[in-house]
Amino acid sequence: MPHQVMGEALDVRRAGSYFVLSLTAPGISEDARPGQFVTVAIGGLESSMLLRRAFAIHRVQSRGVYGGTLEIAVSPHGLGSRWLTERRRHDQLSIVGPLGKPFSIPSRRVSCVLVGGGYGSAPLFMLAEHLRDNGCRVDVLIGASTEEKLFGVLDLKRLSSSITVTTEDGSSGETGRVTDRLAELIDRSSADIVYACGPMGMLSAISAITAKRRVFTQCSVEESMACGIGVCMTCVLPVIGDDGVTRMVRSCVEGPTMRGDRVRWADVGTIPADAWGAAEAP
Amino acid sequence: MPHQVMGEALDVRRAGSYFVLSLTAPGISEDARPGQFVTVAIGGLESSMLLRRAFAIHRVQSRGVYGGTLEIAVSPHGLGSRWLTERRRHDQLSIVGPLGKPFSIPSRRVSCVLVGGGYGSAPLFMLAEHLRDNGCRVDVLIGASTEEKLFGVLDLKRLSSSITVTTEDGSSGETGRVTDRLAELIDRSSADIVYACGPMGMLSAISAITAKRRVFTQCSVEESMACGIGVCMTCVLPVIGDDGVTRMVRSCVEGPTMRGDRVRWADVGTIPADAWGAAEAP
Amino acid sequence: MTRAIIGYGGTDRGPVGARADMTTDLAGIELPSPILTASGCAASGKELDAYFDITAIGGVITKSIMLKPRAGRATPRMAETPSGMLNSIGLQGPGIEAFIEEDLAWLESRGARTIVSIAGETVDEYGKLAQKLRNVGGFEALEVNISCPNVDDRGLVFACNPDSAAAVIQAVRRNSDGRTPIFAKLSPDVTSIVEIAESVVRAGAAGVTLINTLLGMVIDTGTMRPALAGLTGGLSGPAIRPVAVRCIFQVRQAFPSLPIIGAGGVRTGNDALEFLLAGASAVSVGTSIFNDPSAPMRIHDELARLVAERGFARVSDIVGHAHRERDAIVTEAQADPVESPEGAPASDPDDELSAWDFVRE
Amino acid sequence: MTRAIIGYGGTDRGPVGARADMTTDLAGIELPSPILTASGCAASGKELDAYFDITAIGGVITKSIMLKPRAGRATPRMAETPSGMLNSIGLQGPGIEAFIEEDLAWLESRGARTIVSIAGETVDEYGKLAQKLRNVGGFEALEVNISCPNVDDRGLVFACNPDSAAAVIQAVRRNSDGRTPIFAKLSPDVTSIVEIAESVVRAGAAGVTLINTLLGMVIDTGTMRPALAGLTGGLSGPAIRPVAVRCIFQVRQAFPSLPIIGAGGVRTGNDALEFLLAGASAVSVGTSIFNDPSAPMRIHDELARLVAERGFARVSDIVGHAHRERDAIVTEAQADPVESPEGAPASDPDDELSAWDFVRE
Ligand SMILES: Cc1cc2nc3c(=O)[nH]c(=O)nc-3n(C[C@H](O)[C@H](O)[C@H](O)COP(=O)(O)OP(=O)(O)OC[C@H]3O[C@@H](n4cnc5c(N)ncnc54)[C@H](O)[C@@H]3O)c2cc1C
Ligand SMILES: Cc1cc2nc3c(=O)[nH]c(=O)nc-3n(C[C@H](O)[C@H](O)[C@H](O)COP(=O)(O)OP(=O)(O)OC[C@H]3O[C@@H](n4cnc5c(N)ncnc54)[C@H](O)[C@@H]3O)c2cc1C
Ligand SMILES: Cc1cc2nc3c(=O)[nH]c(=O)nc-3n(C[C@H](O)[C@H](O)[C@H](O)COP(=O)(O)O)c2cc1C
Ligand SMILES: Cc1cc2nc3c(=O)[nH]c(=O)nc-3n(C[C@H](O)[C@H](O)[C@H](O)COP(=O)(O)O)c2cc1C
Ligand code: FES
Ligand code: FES
């Protein structure tokens, strides 16, 4: 059950090229599960930006001095996210959440590989804690184009059995991409499941690798969203259902976590001709 | 010569129902003369409010620790002015000024009555100082609907030979309006000139009183302005020129200070049929 | 700006103020509030019911439904614009059968009032939709979204041609029960909105919904291509509000008793009030829901106070009030206790005063 | 956001970056920049010259001038709207004689490039204006503001009827020297902007300016009356930018070699770039000047960098670039060094993996 609340900025701190915002978010932090997200309004009535921005829930604390608090990691990109990184202590923010389908958690003690690209590692913190509490083995693989864009290396090290870091420019860890190391890590850790969060191209490549190895994979996708709550139909992507039929599925309510083998990665951005309700060829 | 600068908020303090903003405004504070105004942008690129808001220059200091600073008195009215009153120390503001025609200053040592309604007394501070420095007698008459809406009573007392205060509800000074006391004050101080700033209705009534007594009057008018710099033609009102012809005159560049006897008060908001360029009757 | 979720009839937390009677008559339907959700911005109400009591507002205008299931347009389907957004959803939806079985059934069981929006690609499709709905009932009114390309007319939008617009409304009227009011939803992208309104009214529309989105486009300066997969999209949000108010005012002026559902950028109770004053009997809230999921309820609440503050007991009394005759003109100068400036000093610029030798420093 | 006033060719203060050659050909006129001021938002350039060097941008499009002096509409003449404003100035101005003697003379002596905008109430008036201007010269082009009510056609706006629009352009062409390019400035308030563009091009316009304001209205909820004395006004500012981009794109698509001056909500160099990509050869800046008096210069500067950053040496090379053919489609997955997902695991939903017993907590 999502909440719509006014939260207060408690702290805004830099982390590499990202900013971590700590917010009070009564109700939301208590209910949040790994892989869910919140949406934040950019400014009040005076703002020209109407659309909320979605952020993966990075960490929550349900009984701090401030009541429930949560953290999000913001990459300063366009006007909206930059506005957020300029918030100061005591600024008020309108927050809706927790939203979306959380990651599925295995009911058995299995071996899990968590892959994060860029700020995509933010939601992996809660997930790693959760999996460890359930007795799962957790190996982490994170990558970015350059060191500054890695998020949370030190903290993730504490939460995992092993951590592998890649950067494309070699400024930290191994030179290359996470996908260069994934197969090896799956084999080394005898992974039963892969969780991934990052850019769509990375998720697509990961799903290809894990499909070959028949390792169950959950990806957290990032499609542009207008509402974040399931009413507008902007955030769709082609997903194969249990019945084998491809549908244009809302990633805000039926995602953002999705089975990697169910998303038709190569067809994202199109309406596949065999999708349910696709127009006949003209 | 106007300047377009980024200023910094040094202080925002309450004064009755108003807020006084102190701003750094290099160049502007040095050049400002009594009766001129500045315009302030409401927010940056993320703002939905494009139009600058005009504020009478209340006080200036050209050699403070911060370089040139200026003060404006803001009445929280709609979204824009309220946004301004919520600024905090170190916030940046885009300021343009000094704009408009300053009050005309007498070249002889004469007796002056300064009338302010509501925040209309804000620009009278600089004017009073100026007139006193020139050896003029200064009597002040200020009024508002209620005590909270009087602006700067104590400071104006120090700058003037006498001060008369009126409130419509009698919460401070005499019960009534400034126009109830003006004739008497003109006679008592043998005023040669009346300066007035306040709502248009007040300026109209004052001009009627002073016209009867043939006392030279300068009013600072407040018309809604889109540009404040003379390029858009939104801020016009009917004014009689030296040649006796009524023209629709831009109050941002040919005002805001205007001779009370030249403004066709009863016709403000219309195009008088005898105005230069008025459409023939349809 | 704390947004409380206040149920209808719930406790006020603000300064106690009177609230107007919000009951609204819309072409004969009685609604507890003039505030509706706009088609395509609330799906079928289910998701929003988590943020406020969906039965407490006037009603839900459902996402335009077509005969068959439809996958819609490719993504990206939206782009944010200053105080607005573009969308090109392409009417993704489950088709009328599934809509009736699931969405309409849910709305009925929930006790919400429903206005069903329908859309088609041919005149015939609209007629079939009306027929199917006639057989099931369970809704208050039909809204006919005619901002769709007409496949029989080189893809020209029905709403942009008075004859096509009329043909659709006639088909719907012939296939519905004659009691259920039909609202034609018009596009502002026309030379004369009054001309289109006239033609749909003649064709049997009980009222009109003003306005659908404006055709717009955004180019992504990174890829240097149109931002939307569908190239153009519909512009909505507060950016278009002045266009909506103008359309409502013009149509109200031309047809003073025609019921109008206003839409276009309503974000606050004050905006809704503006629409009512211009002549709308009801107001639908669209894009603002994306900013504030409880917007319809908040707007209802704000409106109830604003109407009462203006001394109106019933919200219906304020509809079209901006069209009233001018009051006798009383200028502030005349209203002032001070005598009016007789003897016109203003016309005497050459008197002794101007002889004064003022020197600007 | 410090806005430096940087003269053309002046020193860059930001990180040193390449700047594109900003020289622009507009229907045969050579301009040092594609950035112009929009008619009615810069008067005749004199006031703005205090904020930036008015000769450093492409040129000034002057406030539309009429034959006779004109007092304009009653006040209030403007209302702020979300990311925009309404204006109803009513073409206040000194008349063509005074304009030529004062404004045009000043612009010429200052060395600025001028596009003179003219407006009339009859076809004949437009012709007379062209004639008077032909005799004096001193400007680069004519912009014909046809968004004026045609007194000979029940007050219908010239720009809303292809025949009236064409008649005006013919009259102007007949009365001008045949060398000076004529731009017809079109209104977006029409069912088909391409139809109007076609008719003015046939009538002899060298190019079109897109777009003038949209007809809008604001109701003051305090007085409960229209906020503007003229009731309706023209909507401008970033709010309408997506409509402007759409109009430019459509007209460019229909007439790929027609010179277009874009207008409508340009606030940054990025916005100007969007217009160029859509097909405008030059871009005029209007309402944004009210927000930032040095906006045209700032936008020129921002644009010069953005164009260079994209690897274009000349700003003219980017005009219409959003219309280029689609590149061969390379999806990110294919571009990735990892092998592409052959064997389509996606089509195999019933494999052993789904047998896994995941329990949601
Ligand atoms: C489920 C989900 C989780 C996300 N988690 C994070 C996170 O943890 N940290 C983080 O920094 N960002 C995250 N994002 C992206 C974030 O929501 C913003 O979209 C991004 O910060 C860009 O917004 P902007 O205002 O800076 O860009 P602008 O260019 O101003 O955005 C304009 C519009 O485009 C949309 N948009 C732009 N870029 C993206 C993008 N990459 N993905 C989706 N929409 C986009 C914006 O949401 C907005 O509606 C997430 C997005 C989704 C959908
Ligand atoms: C020359 C001049 C001097 C001024 N000096 C002061 C001052 O010293 N202190 C002060 O508090 N205000 C002053 N004002 C009014 C001020 O500029 C704002 O208009 C006012 O604060 C309302 O703006 P808002 O954003 O709160 O209202 P909104 O309702 O958001 O304003 C919407 C638009 O209407 C215009 N508007 C609204 N009310 C007025 C008004 N009363 N006068 C002119 N335009 C208006 C605004 O400027 C804006 O463009 C002055 C105005 C002018 C023209
Ligand atoms: C994402 C989205 C989807 C829409 N879908 C529909 C639709 O299916 N049928 C329809 O008649 N209008 C549709 N509209 C238009 C709205 O109902 C409304 O007329 C328009 O957006 C203006 O109102 P607003 O500014 O409050 O959103 C849609 C608008 C948006 C933003
Ligand atoms: C105050 C004002 C006055 C205008 N006057 C004219 C005019 O005289 N002639 C004209 O062709 N356009 C006029 N316009 C329209 C602008 O030139 C421009 O086409 C429109 O405002 C859209 O651009 P913008 O959003 O950059 O302002 C005026 C616009 C404004 C805001
Ligand atoms: S973002 Fe609106 S349905 Fe997903
Ligand atoms: S406000 Fe633009 S001319 Fe005065």
Side-chain angles (χ1 to χ4, degrees), chain B residues 112-145:
Chain B
C112 306
V113 168
L114 277 51
V115 193
Y119 61 75
S121 52
L124 302 182
F125 284 53
M126 274 176 77
L127 177 63
E129 277 176 16
H130 223 86
L131 293 169
R132 296 241 315 195
D133 291 352
N134 281 14
C136 292
R137 176 192 163 104
V138 173
D139 293 273
V140 170
L141 171 56
I142 69 172
S145 55

Side-chain angles (χ1 to χ4, degrees), chain B residues 225-235 250 252:
Chain B
M225 295 179 176
C227 76
I229 60 170
V231 296
C232 76
M233 314 300 284
T234 61
C235 61
R250 291 166 302 174
C252 66

Side-chain angles (χ1 to χ4, degrees), chain B residues 33 48 101-102 104-108 110 130 177 179 192-193 204-205 208-209 211-212 214 216 240 259 261-262 266, chain C residues 83 331-333 335-342 345-354 356-361:
Chain B
R33 299 195 204 169
S48 68
K101 232 179 48 171
S104 299
I105 303 291
S107 47
R108 293 189 263 135
V110 297
H130 223 86
R177 299 178 169 198
T179 42
D192 298 293
I193 180 163
S204 168
I209 295 169
K212 282 211 164 166
R214 311 210 125 223
F216 187 87
I240 302 162
R259 280 179 53 162
D261 58 332
R262 295 290 181 87
Chain C
S83 297
T331 66
E332 278 178 278
D336 208 88
V338 174
E339 288 166 72
S340 69
E342 283 157 57
S347 58
D348 189 17
D350 231 22
D351 65 12
E352 70 199 287
L353 295 174
S354 57
W356 250 56
D357 176 25
F358 282 101
V359 177
R360 301 208 176 261
E361 284 175 281

